Amino acid sequence: MADYDNTNSGTFFINDRKEKETHPDYNGKINVEGKEYYLKGWKKTAKSGLNFMSLAVNPVDGARSSSPKEATAAVNDPEPF
């Protein structure tokens, strides 16, 4: 039996361990170009009344993308950029 190639695919399940409103309604994993990510989803309603799902992904390997760091420049630098 050949191994299943799950590249560029994933699974999404109802979160049966949701304890708070902020916890995702759905969770799972997705593979994007060979890299594994945790996938989270929240059911939401737009102001117009349209239902939609908000998504978030985090790498499985634990590496978090950090927010951009502030640029450090000399205080007396005459150039603004």
Side-chain angles (χ1 to χ4, degrees):
M1 184 171 151
D3 289 330
Y4 176 73
D5 180 10
N6 66 349
T7 303
N8 296 324
S9 63
T11 55
F12 221 25
F13 299 96
I14 293 174
N15 183 2
D16 59 356
R17 297 188 294 169
K18 181 174 178 163
E19 297 175 358
K20 298 179 182 178
E21 276 300 308
T22 56
H23 291 171
D25 297 303
Y26 294 86
N27 55 30
K29 284 188 180 178
I30 188 168
N31 178 297
V32 179
E33 297 180 356
K35 296 179 184 175
E36 294 286 324
Y37 296 89
Y38 292 114
L39 181 62
K40 299 180 282 187
W42 292 263
K43 296 184 291 185
K44 299 204 174 186
T45 303
K47 290 179 182 178
S48 65
L50 182 67
N51 292 323
F52 69 98
M53 187 165 296
S54 174
L55 302 175
V57 294
N58 297 100
V60 168
D61 65 10
R64 300 274 179 175
S65 60
S66 60
S67 59
K69 298 188 182 214
E70 288 186 35
T72 54
V75 175
N76 295 329
D77 189 352
E79 296 295 320
F81 302 100

